């Protein structure tokens, strides 16, 4: 081993290992000296770190001859160093090409996976393809590969392509050739990039505007399958895509595959307008509930307007239940034509408002909350939320006190687990004031949950400035000095929240049992 440490007592131990123990003082010189380093940031007490240790040792020994160094840093002893590299959980592994070129390690925590991942990292990011055979072989070396075709003297295209490859080397394989005949045979003229893929149309060509950004964008778009899969890695991308997402829920991989094939023509027709993706109904069925599908009734289909947070479940009753290209094609066409009403979950409108607090449901939300003449205070609650229960009598009291002013103020509540509401709800209870004349900018209440403070809030923040203090000489039940903590959101909430929550669930469900980080 190259590095021996001064601590004599530990020397014997250290020599037994091919993993280099680094400190604040030795870290930087070490990564400067070694071209490629994998560093593990760990804590001695962390269980996952202990499980990784023998695997890491084994990988270090195999990689030693390839000049790939494995190092570790004890973050309980080297807090500054770990903070510098933004370590937030243990173990965290990072790949270093010098002290400032750092990328996360994205492989599994097994010796073989580490060896394979780091060996790939050690190869040039672009493979030079010398002839037709090597090109042919390269085309199928991975699900998606990119090949650059540019002239021998075209240094600029070569450099740009190289930059992209360095950045995206963990996502795609990159190859390049300057053989003009090969370019011709592929039907492109230099400079060009061809993305070969094992699905959909098989390949896509890029010939315009050789900039890093446009190449990266091309790679992203062309590598996205016509019908992809919603999962922890892809969900955020679909939500950010800016176009609706059509979900195909099915329980088995075989069924998902079959439905993808069946619905391919529909997806083809909507390409660029609606994304289509399958989703594992076994693992993420709950998300179907968020889309107002009947959980358990699979397979199923739904469209989500990611911009407006609206959902359009495909109706599963009746004779047209089958997810055929004809049925779904018709449904999607109607959706595109604006003929499908978004599905809104709602409790029935109460026949009579019996209590002092006005009951709002999705179906009367518009009429009550958006009444432009009144200041409307709305509590968004969940039946199971403890703080909501504690608030209930005080809230009713508040409502009673405002009753004489019911032409100006409404005190209302809505069960946000049973009703789709257009507001973003981050926790229960959430209290918002929709004041007269300014319904699109509700004010969220963040004060203490006392009748007096709530009443003042309605008076001061409302447009009608209704003052109930002294109305009946009331004194409220004492002032709480500290704000009640918010109950963490759970189960089902507001539309956007549900989506965010579902994303988390999707993530949680997919985390490999032996992968989670121990928190700092
Ligand atoms: C790109 O540049 C590198 C470094 O100069 C060179 O080795 C490689 O052959 C070039 N690639 C092509 C396809 O010309
Ligand atoms: C809203 O009400 C609170 C409580 O009475 C008050 O402190 C605050 O200044 C008011 N905000 C506005 C914008 O009027």
């Amino acid at each position: 081993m190259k590095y021996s440490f001064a601590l004599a007592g530990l020397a014997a131990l250290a020599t037994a290992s091919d993993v280099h123990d680094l400190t604040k003082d030795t870290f930087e010189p070490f990564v400067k000296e070694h071209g490629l380093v994998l560093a593990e940031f760990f804590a001695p007490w962390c269980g996952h770190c202990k499980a990784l240790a023998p695997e890491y040792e084994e990988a270090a020994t195999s990689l030693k001859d390839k000049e790939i160094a494995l190092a570790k840093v004890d973050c309980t002893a080297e807090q500054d160093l770990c903070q510098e590299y933004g370590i937030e959980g243990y173990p965290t592994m990072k790949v270093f090409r010098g002290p400032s070129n750092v990328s996360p390690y994205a492989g599994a925590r097994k010796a073989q996976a580490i060896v394979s991942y780091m060996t790939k990292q050690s190869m040039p990011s672009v493979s030079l393809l010398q002839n037709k055979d090597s090109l042919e072989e390269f085309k199928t070396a991975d699900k998606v590969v990119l090949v650059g075709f540019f002239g021998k003297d075209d240094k600029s295209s070569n450099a740009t392509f190289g930059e992209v490859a360095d950045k995206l080397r963990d996502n795609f394989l990159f190859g390049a050739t300057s053989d003009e005949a090969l370019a011709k045979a592929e039907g492109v003229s230099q400079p060009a990039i061809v993305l070969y893929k094992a699905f959909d149309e098989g390949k896509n060509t890029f010939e315009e505007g050789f900039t890093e950004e446009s190449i990266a964008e091309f790679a992203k778009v062309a590598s996205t399958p016509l019908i992809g899969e919603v999962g922890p890695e892809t969900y955020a991308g679909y939500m950010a895509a800016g176009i609706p997402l059509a979900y195909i829920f099915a329980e088995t991989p075989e069924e998902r595959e079959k439905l993808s094939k069946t619905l391919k023509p529909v997806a083809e027709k909507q390409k660029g307008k609606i994304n289509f993706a399958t989703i594992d109904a076994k693992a993420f069925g709950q998300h179907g509930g968020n889309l107002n599908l009947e959980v358990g009734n699979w397979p199923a289909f739904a469209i989500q307007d990611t911009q407006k947070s609206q959902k359009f479940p495909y109706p599963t009753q009746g004779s047209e239940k089958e997810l055929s290209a004809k049925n779904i094609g018709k449904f999607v066409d109607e959706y595109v034509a604006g003929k499908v009403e978004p599905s809104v979950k709602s409790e029935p409108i109460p026949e009579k408002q019996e209590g002092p607090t006005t009951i709002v449901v999705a179906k009367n939300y518009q009429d009550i909350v958006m009444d432009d003449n009144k200041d409307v205070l709305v509590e968004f609650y969940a039946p199971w939320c403890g703080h909501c229960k504690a608030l209930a009598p005080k809230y009713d009291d508040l409502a009673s006190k405002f009753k004489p002013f019911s032409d100006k103020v409404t005190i209302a509540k809505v069960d946000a687990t049973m009703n789709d509401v257009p507001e973003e709800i981050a926790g229960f209870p959430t209290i918002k004031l929709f004041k007269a004349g300014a319904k699109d900018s509700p004010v969220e209440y963040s004060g203490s949950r006392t009748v007096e403070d709530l009443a003042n809030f309605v008076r001061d923040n409302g447009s009608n400035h209704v003052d109930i203090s002294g109305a009946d000489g009331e004194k409220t039940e004492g002032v709480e000095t500290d704000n009640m903590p918010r109950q963490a959101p759970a189960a089902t909430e507001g539309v956007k929240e549900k989506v965010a929550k579902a994303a988390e669930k999707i993530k949680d469900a997919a985390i490999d049992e032996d992968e989670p980080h121990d928190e700092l």
Side-chain angles (χ1 to χ4, degrees):
M1 121 157 210
K2 264 189 195 151
Y3 278 72
S4 51
F5 295 96
L7 295 165
L10 290 177
L13 272 177
T15 44
S17 168
D18 288 312
V19 176
H20 304 262
D21 253 307
L22 299 182
T23 66
K24 185 164 155 280
D25 296 328
T26 56
F27 191 85
E28 211 176 294
F30 185 85
V31 292
K32 267 189 190 143
E33 187 186 326
H34 295 78
L36 185 60
V37 175
L38 175 63
E40 181 209 351
F41 298 87
F42 76 101
W45 46 260
C46 135
H48 296 295
C49 306
K50 286 181 198 153
L52 169 63
E55 303 284 339
Y56 203 64
E57 283 294 341
E58 192 185 324
T61 306
S62 333
L63 288 169
K64 176 165 70 161
D65 297 336
K66 293 184 178 163
E67 313 250 305
I68 301 169
L70 265 59
K72 64 185 199 307
V73 174
D74 178 352
C75 287
T76 60
E78 303 294 336
Q79 288 168 3
D80 291 349
L81 183 57
C82 294
Q83 193 169 4
E84 188 184 332
Y85 288 105
I87 308 305
E88 289 179 340
Y90 305 127
T92 294
M93 292 154 83
K94 288 181 188 279
V95 177
F96 287 81
R97 291 184 172 79
S100 55
N101 185 344
V102 194
S103 57
Y105 169 80
R109 296 196 200 125
K110 294 273 178 257
Q112 207 36 57
I114 296 170
V115 169
S116 138
Y117 186 90
M118 291 308 293
T119 306
K120 272 192 206 143
Q121 293 288 320
S122 71
M123 301 197 298
S125 57
V126 179
S127 315
L128 198 59
L129 307 171
Q130 308 277 15
N131 52 44
K132 183 150 179 51
D133 286 348
S134 55
L135 173 63
E136 286 308 317
E137 196 185 336
F138 192 78
K139 281 183 189 175
T140 56
D142 206 349
K143 233 175 139 182
V144 174
V145 307
L146 284 116
V147 177
F149 296 89
F150 28 80
K152 257 190 193 53
D153 304 319
D154 186 353
K155 293 231 161 54
S156 140
S157 298
N158 185 344
T160 308
F161 190 65
E163 295 285 333
V164 177
D166 281 343
K167 290 206 179 105
L168 299 179
R169 62 179 299 150
D170 295 341
N171 305 42
F172 309 110
L173 282 182
F174 290 85
T177 175
S178 55
D179 186 331
E180 206 177 345
L182 277 182
K184 268 216 184 93
E186 292 300 307
V188 296
S189 48
Q190 299 168 328
I193 296 165
V194 179
L195 180 143
Y196 299 93
K197 55 191 180 188
F199 50 85
D200 296 344
E201 63 270 50
K203 71 175 195 179
N204 301 97
T205 303
F206 174 90
E207 288 177 297
E208 315 254 295
F210 242 74
T211 66
E212 265 184 61
E213 295 73 33
S214 50
I215 296 171
E217 181 64 22
F218 160 74
K220 189 177 130 198
V221 172
S223 63
T224 306
L226 183 58
I227 298 185
E229 172 124 21
V230 176
E233 289 87 30
T234 58
Y235 184 78
Y238 280 122
M239 287 305 109
I243 58 174
L245 174 61
Y247 296 83
I248 303 161
F249 281 85
E251 286 181 296
T252 64
E254 295 73 31
E255 195 172 15
R256 289 196 287 281
E257 170 108 36
K258 196 180 121 224
L259 282 167
S260 297
K261 278 215 180 91
T262 308
L263 299 180
K264 200 169 168 183
V266 184
E268 201 112 60
K269 187 171 165 191
Q270 305 299 338
K271 193 172 178 173
K273 287 176 279 180
I274 301 174
N275 280 322
F276 278 69
T278 59
I279 178 166
D280 182 348
K282 238 185 218 146
F284 312 123
Q286 231 28 61
H287 188 54
N290 296 337
L291 298 165
N292 292 355
L293 288 169
E294 189 191 325
V295 176
N297 191 8
W298 314 120
F301 180 85
I303 301 174
Q304 180 185 7
D305 182 326
T306 56
Q307 306 282 84
K308 293 195 206 131
S309 286
Q310 291 176 333
K311 41 215 170 174
F312 303 85
Y314 177 69
T316 47
Q317 296 97 1
S319 55
E320 306 210 327
K321 175 175 158 49
E322 196 202 338
L323 304 187
S324 63
K326 182 165 162 270
N327 289 344
I328 297 299
K330 183 164 162 256
F331 177 73
V332 172
D333 283 346
E334 284 170 358
Y335 166 77
V336 171
K339 289 186 195 145
V340 182
E341 284 293 316
S343 152
V344 176
K345 184 162 73 174
S346 181
E347 292 175 295
I349 296 178
E351 277 173 31
K352 223 171 110 213
Q353 294 286 355
E354 275 163 348
T357 302
T358 303
I359 307 294
V360 168
V361 299
K363 284 179 181 159
N364 65 8
Y365 189 93
Q366 194 64 27
D367 292 344
I368 296 175
V369 180
M370 294 297 154
D371 181 340
D372 215 28
N373 296 314
K374 294 185 195 168
D375 294 328
V376 184
L377 188 72
V378 184
E379 183 209 350
F380 299 87
Y381 74 97
W384 44 258
C385 142
H387 294 301
C388 305
K389 285 180 198 151
L391 172 63
K394 292 188 254 175
Y395 202 73
D396 277 345
D397 188 16
L398 179 78
S400 303
K401 293 191 161 111
F402 272 105
K403 264 282 144 46
F405 309 94
S406 63
D407 54 332
K408 294 201 178 78
V409 173
T410 304
I411 305 296
K413 64 177 180 181
V414 55
D415 178 348
T417 69
M418 294 301 289
N419 297 281
D420 285 339
V421 294
E423 288 297 307
E424 238 173 281
I425 308 299
F428 294 122
T430 289
I431 301 171
K432 293 191 182 195
L433 179 66
F434 297 77
K435 59 179 169 179
K439 291 289 165 172
D440 32 356
S441 46
V443 188
E444 183 160 350
Y445 182 69
S446 56
S448 73
R449 300 204 188 107
T450 62
V451 177
E452 186 177 7
D453 284 358
L454 281 162
N456 290 344
F457 173 74
V458 173
R459 179 194 63 203
D460 297 345
N461 294 263
S463 302
N464 297 333
H465 301 292
V466 173
D467 188 0
I468 57 163
S469 66
D472 58 4
E474 56 98 24
K475 274 286 149 263
T476 53
E477 46 250 62
V479 178
E480 282 173 52
T481 44
D482 47 4
N483 293 355
M484 294 285 246
R486 288 296 190 75
Q487 187 124 347
T492 47
E493 288 130 32
V495 179
K496 279 196 189 145
E497 201 52 34
K498 279 176 194 163
V499 169
K501 210 65 205 167
E504 244 159 59
K505 272 189 213 134
I506 286 177
K507 254 187 223 150
D508 288 349
I511 287 172
D512 192 327
E513 288 292 15
D514 55 35
E515 288 295 74
H517 287 199
D518 288 341
E519 294 307 322
L520 279 180

